[in-house]
Amino acid sequence: MKFTLTEEHKLIQEAARNFAETELLPGIIERDDNQQFASDKVKVLGDLGFMGLMVDPKYGGAGMDTIAYVLAMEEISKIDASVSVTMSVNNSLVCWGLETYGNEEQKQKYLTPLAKGEKIGAFCLSEPEAGSDATSQKTTAEDKGDHYIINGTKNWITNGKSAGVYLVIAQTDAQKRHKGINAFIVESDSPGISLGPKENKLGIRSSETYSIMFADVKVPKENRIGEDGFGFKFAMKTLSGGRIGIAAKALGIASGAYELSVKYSKERKAFGAEIAKHQAIQFKLADMATQIEAARLMCFKAAWLKDQHQDYDQASSMAKLYSSEVAMATTVEAVQVHGGYGFVKDFHVERLMRDAKITQIYEGTSEIQKIVISRGVIKG
Ligand code: COS
């Protein structure tokens, strides 16, 4: 067992940190205020290879492992959790799903531009009445021989407006329940697709979240991923890897708030000394440091299992559950360490606190992670 990073991993970590500090930090408060999607920053992210970090170079990716992905997600999320969700959806929900389960034509046509960052992807599973209860898909994909017709509404779709490619989960044969669900590659400019208003969110405000309506959208049969009825397993396997990305994102939000708290507590004076000299603050920093270290190790463990092609469902759910709880607890404490300054935008921790909340909700709530974990525990 080794606890050291390779030179390549260190380089990725440094590149992600530099990108976040130089490109993402400027203007972040305004982007959050105005709910402005940072399309120009996402473009640079693509040019640097971060949009297809784990994709084989023959499909335009950077060919890195999941550990590298965790490192990059942590660094970028320390500063901008809105940009990092675009990155995580594109990498682990869209590119990974296509590379693992798509056929050669699908990879050439769709994966390559997504991995290069020329296009952005979105993952369309959630519906108004099917979030946690993902088998209850109401969106239909009627089999018409050489094509499908998709009808329905998808909710809370990250990258909803900017995406060029949607992966859409829909019910083809309701009698077969989850075994009648399919996954499709749908071009976002297909006739019959429309968007609801942009969601006005508590956190990750500069990411794009939309409802997407599908009205008689024609999708060629060759755009179905895998065999007929594979769609639910596709969604579950893809989400399992996605949860490592969200765990790393939560880790980044926590470590970003922690680093700001350490810095602030060495500068701010009260009762004649830097507040870092007061035990009340020291204990908060100690709790943060310990929990963040545990979360980081859990993220690495899940990533390592995935890279070793071992079962990582339980490990990714554990990492996501724990890291997101740590993100929430750490950011609340970071605001407390900063006192009144923590409550205003200039000091960044209030934004990180708002951004942390969603990590306990999307790609499976904390409660869903406990279902997955407990099933694994009982199965043994
Ligand atoms: N990998 C492969 N297959 C999986 C799987 C996984 N990780 N998890 C479940 N499945 C399969 C099961 O094996 C079962 O198939 P079979 O009947 O062929 O055995 C099928 O999927 C249905 O599974 P299950 O019966 O466990 O379904 P449930 O309705 O009980 O729900 C949970 C399972 C709760 C785990 C699932 O609905 C879930 O993850 N929900 C959350 C979805 C989510 O993350 N939503 C957020 C929106 S996406 S941003």
Side-chain angles (χ1 to χ4, degrees), residues 95-244:
C95 286
W96 186 85
L98 279 174
E99 186 168 22
T100 309
Y101 299 111
N103 60 34
E104 191 54 35
E105 291 74 43
Q106 292 170 342
K107 290 185 207 182
Q108 295 287 352
K109 185 168 177 190
Y110 295 107
L111 175 60
T112 303
L114 286 163
K116 287 182 176 170
E118 294 166 359
K119 282 190 176 167
I120 299 176
F123 187 78
C124 307
L125 170 69
S126 292
E127 298 188 350
E129 290 172 59
S132 293
D133 183 8
T135 57
S136 295
Q137 293 289 306
K138 298 281 187 298
T139 299
T140 54
E142 211 183 324
D143 189 342
K144 295 284 194 186
D146 66 343
H147 66 275
Y148 288 87
I149 295 291
I150 300 187
N151 278 291
T153 299
K154 294 292 175 180
N155 258 29
W156 319 118
I157 306 303
T158 300
N159 305 337
K161 190 171 184 192
S162 293
V165 176
Y166 298 147
L167 298 189
V168 181
I169 313 299
Q171 184 68 256
T172 298
D173 186 344
Q175 302 225 307
K176 292 188 186 161
R177 294 191 46 79
H178 68 269
K179 291 187 167 71
I181 290 174
N182 279 308
F184 300 94
I185 306 164
V186 181
E187 296 179 19
S188 64
D189 58 359
S190 306
I193 294 179
S194 59
L195 300 181
K198 186 174 183 170
E199 300 293 352
N200 185 357
K201 308 190 296 286
L202 170 75
I204 55 164
R205 284 172 58 78
S206 83
S207 73
E208 285 187 327
T209 312
Y210 282 87
S211 292
I212 305 177
M213 278 73 80
F214 297 82
D216 290 332
V217 176
K218 187 174 174 182
V219 178
K221 199 150 227 175
E222 63 260 27
N223 280 25
R224 190 186 71 209
I225 301 174
E227 294 297 307
D228 186 24
F230 180 63
F232 192 72
K233 290 219 169 173
F234 170 82
M236 289 297 106
K237 288 308 300 176
T238 305
L239 276 169
S240 194
R243 287 167 186 160
I244 301 175

